[in-house]
Amino acid sequence: MTASQRLLSVRHLIKQLLLPKYVRTYYEGRTENVTFRENEDILDLNIHGEILKFPYVWLRDNCQCAECFHPTAKSRVVDWAKFNLDSKPKDVIKDENSLQVTWDDGHESRYKINWLKLRSFTDKHRKNYNDTIFKPTKKTWHGNNFQKILSKHEFSGIINDDKQLFKWIHDLSVYGVALIKNTPNKETALDSVVQKIGFPKKTHYGTNFIVQNVPNTSNVAYLNSNLQIHVDLPYYEYCPGVNMLHCLVQTSSRGGENLLSDGHYTAEYIKTYHPEQFKLLTDIDVEWSDIGTEQGNEFFKLHRAPVICLDKHGQIERINFSIPQRGSHFLGPIEVVKPWYKAHSLFFKLNMDFAAKFKTDAGDILVFDNIRLLHGRNQYEDKPNNVRKLIGAYVDWDEIYSRLRCLQLKYNHNDELV
Ligand code: OGA
Ligand code: ZN
Ligand code: ZN
C-alpha cells in the first residue's frame, strides 16, 4: 500500500466511524461516491453525477491484479474451481482515477475508473462501445448515392501510412465498399494490401485467383459473359468476408462494368414493403453448392442457409445469393416453393434496381463486403492486345476488424480497451 492509499484508507475509516450506525454495519459501506450494501449484489459508482452499477460477481471476476489477470497475455487467469460467486466487498475506496475494492476474503482489486466506464452496463455506454470498438455502425446505401459513399484511397497511402490504412478499413466496414487507386501493375501488389490487414483467406480457388476468360472453366466467373449479381462462395459455412479485385487490365470493349448493390439496403426495403417475402427469404434454407476440380483439387462444397441470415437480435448477419451456385435440392415445404421463388425474384430485381454500375480502371482494387453486398459484371469482349485480367483475394472480417481495433488502440492510446 502506498502512502497516499494508506491516507485514503485512514480517511475512509474515519468517515465510516462518523456515519450513523445503521450505515456502518459490517459489509455495508459508503465512501463519498460509492455505495455497497450487504444485502445487495451491486455496487453503485457515482462518476461526476452519473450512477454506474457494477455487480460484485462481475467486479470480482474482472479483477485486474496480476494474480487474476495476466498482464502480458491480457487474459483472465483466475482459478475458476476456487471462484466464489458470492464474494462481497468489505471495503471500497474511490479516488479520481481508480476504485479499490477489498473483498471479504482479503483479496484486493483495483480498477481504473475509465476502464470501468467503458464496461458500464448502461445502454448508453454499451452502445458507445458496440458502435465504436466492437464494430463501426454500418450505413446502408442506394446505388443512386454510390458516388457519394464510395471512398477512394491511394495504394501507397495504405501501404505506408497507418492512418490511411485505418481510414480505408473504416470506410469499408461502414459502407461495405472502398476503392483503392493507383496500385502497381504487378500480380503481387494485392498481397501487399492483404498483408497490411493480416492474413488472406484461402479457398479451393487458391489464395489468389485470376479472373479471366477461360473456356472449359471451373467457375462461371471465368467467362466473359454476363455475371449476374451474386456473392462469392455462399457454399462456404465460413464464407470469405471481404472480396478484393485488383484490375490489372480493363477491357476497352463495351461492357465489363461492375454492378454493386447493398444487400442490407435491399433487405431492409423488403422487410418494410414486402414482409411476407422477407419472412420467406429469412426462414427458408437454401442449399448453396459448388462441385468441381480446380488445379487438380476436387471439391464438393455444400452449405445450407437462407438468402438473408438474421442473428438473434434480428440484425442481418449475412447475405447469400448466387444463381449458378444455388443447388437443386429445395429444402423448404413443397407449398412454399412458388412463393419462395417469387421472393427470390423480388430480391434479385430490387438489387438490380438499386445497384450502382461503374467500370474500374487498371490500378484499381475494388474492395467490398462479400457477405453484405451483391456484385456482378457485364459481358465484355477480349481482343488479342486487350485481354481483361483481374486478380482476386479474400480476407475475413475477423482479421479486418482486428486490424481496425489495433489501429484504433494505437492512435487513441486507449489502454482501457484491453
Ligand atoms: C468473380 C467476379 C467480377 C469481375 O470473379 O466472382 O465477380 O469484374 N468478378 O470480373
Ligand atoms: Zn485479483
Ligand atoms: Zn464474384
Side-chain angles (χ1 to χ4, degrees):
M1 207 185 247
T2 64
S4 71
Q5 281 163 5
R6 205 170 298 122
L7 188 69
L8 274 169
S9 228
V10 171
R11 270 176 40 200
H12 175 65
L13 192 70
I14 294 168
K15 270 190 186 166
Q16 287 282 307
L17 290 169
L18 293 176
L19 281 170
K21 200 165 179 351
Y22 63 90
V23 184
R24 216 179 345 114
T25 49
Y26 190 59
Y27 286 141
E28 281 195 7
R30 162 169 283 182
T31 68
E32 217 170 279
N33 294 313
V34 193
T35 308
F36 61 103
R37 294 188 186 85
E38 183 183 8
N39 298 332
E40 289 176 11
D41 291 323
I42 296 177
L43 177 141
D44 288 354
L45 201 58
N46 181 341
I47 302 174
H48 304 303
E50 188 183 19
I51 307 291
L52 302 183
K53 292 180 174 295
F54 296 100
Y56 300 156
V57 68
W58 178 87
L59 282 168
R60 183 63 192 85
D61 180 37
N62 290 289
C63 175
Q64 296 294 292
C65 84
E67 212 180 291
C68 299
F69 190 81
H70 196 285
T72 55
K74 298 193 188 305
S75 303
R76 184 180 294 110
V77 284
V78 163
D79 179 352
W80 204 256
K82 294 186 188 141
F83 187 78
N84 177 8
L85 292 173
D86 300 315
S87 283
K88 291 202 188 294
K90 189 162 66 177
D91 199 10
V92 180
I93 299 170
K94 177 183 172 294
D95 61 28
E96 187 58 23
N97 299 316
S98 74
L99 180 79
Q100 188 187 315
V101 178
T102 307
W103 298 95
D104 48 5
D105 62 0
H107 191 81
E108 283 198 4
S109 305
R110 187 184 301 279
Y111 313 87
K112 286 189 196 158
I113 297 294
N114 283 343
W115 185 96
L116 284 170
K117 251 171 111 170
L118 201 65
R119 286 153 183 81
S120 166
F121 289 69
T122 65
D123 289 349
K124 184 184 93 182
H125 287 276
R126 281 183 168 168
K127 184 166 170 25
N128 173 40
Y129 174 69
N130 289 349
D131 296 350
T132 53
I133 311 302
F134 179 57
K135 291 175 185 177
T137 312
K138 292 184 169 76
K139 293 185 184 155
T140 57
W141 47 269
H142 182 290
N144 287 345
N145 294 324
F146 186 67
Q147 286 311 326
K148 282 195 208 117
I149 64 96
L150 179 68
S151 59
K152 296 177 182 157
H153 306 261
E154 283 296 307
F155 172 85
S156 61
I158 285 172
I159 300 298
N160 300 314
D161 176 359
D162 277 355
K163 286 207 166 126
Q164 293 189 45
L165 176 65
F166 176 86
K167 177 89 178 62
W168 166 59
I169 302 175
H170 193 267
D171 286 343
L172 174 65
S173 65
V174 171
Y175 297 107
V177 56
L179 190 65
I180 301 177
K181 303 290 294 180
N182 299 314
T183 309
N185 194 273
K186 286 194 229 148
E187 284 198 8
T188 53
L190 188 58
D191 298 340
S192 334
V193 176
V194 171
Q195 271 165 28
K196 291 304 291 185
I197 295 172
F199 315 99
K201 162 97 177 188
K202 191 171 182 181
T203 72
H204 58 238
Y205 291 106
T207 304
N208 292 331
F209 48 91
I210 307 267
V211 184
Q212 253 183 333
N213 182 21
V214 255
N216 304 321
T217 179
S218 63
N219 188 310
V220 290
Y222 303 159
L223 296 171
N224 62 348
S225 48
N226 243 8
L227 194 50
Q228 303 189 73
I229 47 169
H230 63 284
V231 305
D232 281 8
L233 290 72
Y235 42 81
Y236 267 81
E237 181 166 354
Y238 303 102
C239 181
V242 162
N243 199 335
M244 302 192 182
L245 294 174
H246 176 192
C247 179
L248 291 162
V249 181
Q250 185 53 282
T251 183
S252 52
S253 78
R254 280 163 64 98
E257 301 93 352
N258 285 113
L259 304 171
L260 273 186
S261 160
D262 184 354
H264 284 206
Y265 181 92
T266 310
E268 294 299 339
Y269 184 95
I270 296 180
K271 187 178 175 184
T272 309
Y273 298 106
H274 307 275
E276 282 168 23
Q277 278 84 351
F278 184 75
K279 190 155 170 43
L280 288 164
L281 292 169
T282 52
D283 273 3
I284 303 295
D285 272 347
V286 176
E287 187 164 273
W288 308 99
S289 86
D290 197 18
I291 303 169
T293 307
E294 177 74 20
Q295 291 161 5
N297 296 315
E298 290 180 337
F299 53 87
F300 189 161
K301 297 276 194 328
L302 297 176
H303 173 62
R304 294 180 172 187
V307 168
I308 303 169
C309 302
L310 302 179
D311 68 13
K312 61 175 182 291
H313 306 290
Q315 299 295 315
I316 302 165
E317 205 164 42
R318 168 171 166 182
I319 301 286
N320 294 303
F321 197 87
S322 177
I323 288 163
Q325 291 153 349
R326 181 163 43 73
S328 44
H329 294 260
F330 193 89
L331 303 178
I334 200 158
E335 52 289 359
V336 304
V337 171
K338 193 70 185 276
W340 182 86
Y341 272 89
K342 283 189 180 164
H344 171 269
S345 277
L346 177 71
F347 188 74
F348 173 78
K349 184 186 173 312
L350 289 174
N351 275 299
M352 289 299 286
D353 290 351
F354 298 158
K357 190 169 95 174
F358 66 104
K359 201 162 173 172
T360 53
D361 297 321
D364 287 357
I365 306 178
L366 178 60
V367 187
F368 54 92
D369 186 337
N370 185 53
I371 55 173
R372 166 176 168 183
L373 266 56
L374 291 94
H375 65 283
R377 184 208 59 221
N378 286 338
Q379 182 176 359
Y380 65 93
E381 294 303 326
D382 281 339
K383 297 207 180 79
N385 60 353
N386 175 232
V387 177
R388 187 179 190 269
K389 181 175 179 182
L390 308 185
I391 182 156
Y394 302 113
V395 182
D396 278 331
W397 275 108
D398 285 327
E399 306 304 340
I400 298 172
Y401 282 128
S402 161
R403 178 61 52 233
L404 192 67
R405 294 181 197 118
C406 289
L407 292 168
Q408 208 151 351
L409 208 64
K410 192 165 156 187
Y411 292 115
N412 292 356
H413 303 291
N414 195 346
D415 55 2
E416 275 83 39
L417 290 177
V418 284

